[in-house]
Amino acid sequence: MGLQAPLWRAVTVFRVAALVYATILMLAGFRDFTRPLLGWAVLAAMVAWTAVTGVRYHDPAGRNRAWLAADLAVTLACLLASNLVVSAERLASGGPTLPMAWVAGAVLAWALRGGRRAGGIAALILGAADLFLRGEVTSATANGTVLLLLAGGVMGYVSRLTDDAESRMQRAVELDAATRERERLARGIHDSVLQVLALVQRRGTELGGEAAELGRLAGEQEAVLRSLVGVQDEAAAAGSADLRLLLGRYGSPRVTVAMPATPVLLPAVVAAELAAAAASALDNVAVHCGPGARAWVLVEQEPDAVTVSIRDDGPGIVSGRLAEAAASGRLGVVQSIQGRIRDLGGAVAITSGPGQGTEVELRVPLPR
C-alpha cells in the first residue's frame, strides 16, 4: 500500500472537516448572499467533488497529473464563484469566501504528489484568485496565502520523508530476502558440496599418487567455497567494499586468512588495490617458496589505518636480494606491492632472513 496512503486519507479527512465548516458558515450567513441558490449549488459541487477525490485518491493510479489539474481547476472555480454569491463589500472587508479552508485540500494533494514546489505553485494560484476576489491586498488575503504556502511546504516535506523511508524499507526488505536466500544456499552447499569435497580430499590423500593431487585440488576448492558462503556481505556504503570479501577468496589449505568478524569497509578502489598487493605477495610465496610452503594472512583494522600482513614459512630472502631483482628489471615487489601501497599513501615493511620465512606488512591509512 505504501507509506503515503495514510497521508492521502488525511487529505480526504481534512476536506470533509473543511466542508463541514464551510456548510456551517453558509447556514449562518446565506441570507446575506446575493444569489443564495447559486451558493447552495456551489456547496453541492464541493460535496460531490470531495467524494470523487476521496475515492479517486484512494487508488494510487488516480493520483496522476490530470486528476490533480482537475482538482485545482474545480477548487479554483468554487473559489471564484464567491464573486457571484458574496457581495463585493463583504469580500473587500475580509469576509469569508464560499469554500473557506476547503481550498487547502487541493494544495495538500499537489504537495503530496509533487513535493514542496508543486504545493507552493498551487498555493500561489489560489492566493492570486483570492486577491482577485477582494480587489486589494488585505490581512485576510495575506494570511490565507501564507497559510496555504505553509501547508504546501510542510506536506511536501513530509511527502519527501515518506518517499525516503519507503525506499529505505524496500532496500531493507530486499537485503533481508537476499540474506535469507544466501543462508539457505549456504546450508545446502554445506550439507552436500562441501562434504563431498572434504571426502574427495581425504580419500585422495589416503590413496596417494595422482589421487592425492586431486584431493589437494578438492581441498583448495572446499576452502574457497567455504569462505564465500561463510562471509556475510553486509550492507556497505555506496562506493565502498568489504576487504574481507576480497581477501577471503585467497584462503586455501596452504593459505590461512584471519580477518575481523565485522566488515572492513574501504573505498572500492583502495580495497581492490590492497587486495591486489596481497595477492602479489602470495604469488611470490607460491613461486619462490615451493609447493609445500604455507602462508598466513592477517587483517587488522585500527582507528586510522588498515594493516594486512602476509607471512610464510619459506626459506626467506637473502639480504640485498630485492635490490638486485629491481636492478635486473624484475619489479614484482617494487611495482606490484610497494608501488600500489605507495600510491594509496601507505607503507610496506618487509621482514625476512635466511631460513626464517618472510613477512610483508601492508599498511594503508583510512580516508578521513
Side-chain angles (χ1 to χ4, degrees), residues 61-104:
R63 305 163 191 167
N64 52 49
R65 295 182 178 179
W67 272 97
L68 288 170
D71 190 5
L72 183 61
V74 171
T75 302
L76 189 62
C78 293
L79 178 61
L80 293 175
S82 302
N83 196 33
L84 303 176
V85 178
V86 183
S87 63
E89 293 79 9
R90 188 174 180 181
L91 290 174
S93 62
T97 60
L98 288 178
M100 279 293 292
W102 185 81
V103 298

Side-chain angles (χ1 to χ4, degrees), residues 146-331:
V146 169
L147 290 175
L148 289 176
L149 287 172
L150 290 176
V154 171
M155 182 59 79
Y157 178 71
V158 173
S159 174
R160 185 175 65 82
L161 289 181
T162 56
D163 287 340
D164 292 343
E166 190 166 5
S167 62
R168 289 173 182 268
M169 184 175 67
Q170 181 65 27
R171 287 196 299 270
V173 170
E174 293 174 355
L175 179 61
D176 181 68
T179 301
R180 291 179 182 273
E181 179 64 14
R182 183 188 181 93
E183 292 175 351
R184 186 187 68 81
L185 293 174
R187 289 193 298 269
I189 291 174
H190 181 271
D191 294 340
S192 58
V193 180
L194 292 179
Q195 292 186 4
V196 172
L197 291 175
L199 176 62
V200 172
Q201 180 189 16
R202 185 170 64 253
R203 292 294 295 161
T205 303
E206 294 174 354
L207 294 174
E210 294 183 356
E213 179 64 16
L214 293 177
R216 183 185 66 81
L217 295 176
E220 292 180 357
Q221 295 307 310
E222 178 199 4
V224 173
L225 188 57
R226 191 180 297 277
S227 66
L228 288 177
V229 300
V231 179
Q232 298 298 322
D233 186 7
E234 300 187 18
S240 298
D242 189 350
L243 183 62
R244 302 179 310 162
L245 300 179
L246 300 179
L247 293 179
R249 67 186 65 175
Y250 300 120
S252 69
R254 294 197 302 268
V255 179
T256 301
V257 181
M259 298 177 290
T262 56
V264 182
L265 297 180
L266 293 171
V269 175
V270 175
E273 289 294 287
L274 184 55
S280 181
L282 291 174
D283 289 340
N284 288 336
V285 174
V287 172
H288 301 290
C289 298
R294 298 198 59 189
W296 294 265
V297 179
L298 175 63
V299 181
E300 299 176 278
Q301 184 170 20
E302 304 171 18
D304 59 346
V306 170
T307 301
V308 178
S309 302
I310 303 95
R311 182 171 59 87
D312 65 64
D313 60 356
I317 303 175
V318 178
S319 178
R321 185 70 182 88
L322 293 178
E324 293 177 2
S328 62
R330 293 187 295 177
L331 305 177

